[in-house]
Each structure stands twice: as structure tokens, then as C-alpha cells.
Amino acid sequence: MTRKAKKEPHEKLLVIACGMIAREVLAVKSQLGLDHLELTCLPAEFHFYPDRIAPAMDEAIAKAKGEGYDRIFVGYADCGTGGGLDIICQKHGVERMDGPHCFAFYQGTAQFMASGEADMLAFYMTDFLCRQFDAFFIRPLGLDRHPELIPDYFGNYEKLIYLAQTDDPALDEVAEGAAKLLGLTYERRSTGYGDLTPSLAHQAGMTK
């Protein structure tokens, strides 16, 4: 079991997060007035290379501790590491976000688990993935040059679910366009920051 560090209000807290949620962590920090929260991120592209997350986190935590940070929170769920990230958290005595991935904690992990069967064939998008749709999906997969490959990559999905952290018509347009391009039915869920807000509040000493 991970050793939980004692939380004192306004004691400096370092969050080492996935680059895909950096904007959201900073938004929660601003909303809650967490001036004592500091953020550093691992590359967002690790979303596609989950085997790199645990080793990189191991190095990042060790570096942070060497720089004098006593309280560290891991801004990742398991994120495809197959328990590897939990081993690193246990090694260093730190905690991480609950749940299997950000698509779960944005919705609320309990809600995600409850709707798991219905969403089994869903392709998820977030605000970040809407902003980076071309850079993260279209160009790396070569779909800008070979759109005929879309069924090969996305043919097993039935719907695209946009988990919206904010109300931004431009992002809505991207998500709807992505669903049309990929040949998927479209659903928008306004989630806000989900479990990220209470988790950061707890780690920052605002709640018990």
C-alpha cells in the first residue's frame, strides 16, 4: 500500500502530470487558489507510448526529491502502464490519480465504471485532443494522405464521445467534425474537470 504523506495546508505541492492535462491542472489551481501547487509535466506523446511513463516518472520523482520537494502527486491514472506506475508510486511513497485513465477521471471514475458496457466501443476525445486532433491523430496515422485507411484504424468503434472540460464552440466543432470524418455517431458530455478538482484539493490540503 502506498504510504500517504501528511498533508499540511499551504505546504508546497509538486504535481508531475501528463502533458495532456497540464492546462486543466492549471485551471483547477486557479479556480481553487492553490498558489502553493507547482506543476511539471511529462511529454503528452507518452499517451501513445505507455511503456515510457513509469520509467520517466521514476526519474522525475527522484529528481524532484533531490531538489527538495517533499510532497509530490502524480497527475496520471494508470494510463496503460499495467500497474507499472503503481510500482513507482509505491517505491517513492506518493499517490496518483485514481482510475484507469483520464477519460475515466474526467467523467468521474465511478460513473465511468458504471457506463463501461455501453461505452465499450467508444472513441474518446477531450479538450486537449480536440486542440491536437490533427497533430495527434490525422498526420501521425497518415490520414491526411490516405483517408481510405480510416476504417482500418477506427472501424471497430461505434461512437465518438467528446468529454468537454470547457464550453468552447470551436472545440465542439472539431469534435463533431472528427466524428463525421471517422464515420462515428457523436455524443458530447460536459464533464468539467471531473475527479481532478477534488483530487488536487485533497492533495493540496484543502480537504481531509
Side-chain angles (χ1 to χ4, degrees):
M1 180 177 295
T2 301
R3 176 176 59 82
K4 296 184 179 181
K6 183 179 179 181
K7 303 176 183 66
E8 297 293 342
H10 308 302
E11 181 183 353
K12 186 182 294 186
L13 169 68
L14 177 66
V15 177
I16 305 176
C18 171
M20 287 179 60
I21 69 167
R23 184 189 293 250
E24 289 70 30
V25 171
L26 292 176
V28 172
K29 172 182 176 176
S30 177
Q31 286 181 356
L32 300 181
L34 303 178
D35 295 335
H36 55 300
L37 184 154
E38 297 182 9
L39 173 67
T40 188
C41 292
L42 299 185
E45 67 180 20
F46 284 4
H47 175 78
F48 295 118
Y49 308 100
D51 59 307
R52 300 181 186 179
I53 296 173
M57 184 59 69
D58 190 14
E59 292 182 9
I61 295 173
K63 180 176 183 290
K65 287 189 171 183
E67 294 172 348
Y69 287 97
D70 294 323
R71 292 191 49 235
I72 298 169
F73 181 60
V74 172
Y76 276 87
D78 178 75
C79 295
T81 69
L85 190 56
D86 285 332
I87 293 173
I88 299 304
C89 290
Q90 290 169 1
K91 172 183 175 180
H92 292 285
V94 301
E95 298 176 70
R96 68 163 174 85
M97 288 292 304
D98 287 334
H101 41 60
C102 65
F103 307 127
F105 69 66
Y106 275 144
Q107 296 181 80
T109 301
Q111 175 62 33
F112 170 79
M113 298 302 291
S115 60
E117 189 71 25
D119 293 347
M120 188 67 67
L121 299 179
F123 176 72
Y124 288 108
M125 291 186 69
T126 62
D127 283 12
F128 176 90
L129 291 175
C130 284
R131 293 187 184 96
Q132 302 296 329
F133 183 65
D134 284 344
F136 260 61
F137 295 109
I138 298 300
R139 292 199 297 273
L141 295 177
L143 300 181
D144 52 336
R145 303 181 305 277
H146 299 285
E148 69 275 8
L149 295 177
I150 288 175
D152 295 331
Y153 286 115
F154 297 94
N156 290 326
Y157 293 105
E158 292 182 349
K159 59 183 175 180
L160 184 152
I161 299 177
Y162 170 31
L163 306 174
Q165 283 72 69
T166 57
D167 291 319
D168 185 331
L171 299 184
D172 290 341
E173 185 176 349
V174 171
E176 291 185 55
K180 183 177 180 180
L181 175 68
L182 302 179
L184 305 175
T185 59
Y186 178 67
E187 180 181 345
R188 183 187 192 277
R189 296 178 186 172
S190 182
T191 65
Y193 304 119
D195 290 343
L196 186 62
T197 300
S199 294
L200 292 180
H202 177 66
Q203 293 296 324
M206 295 183 66
T207 61
K208 294 183 179 180

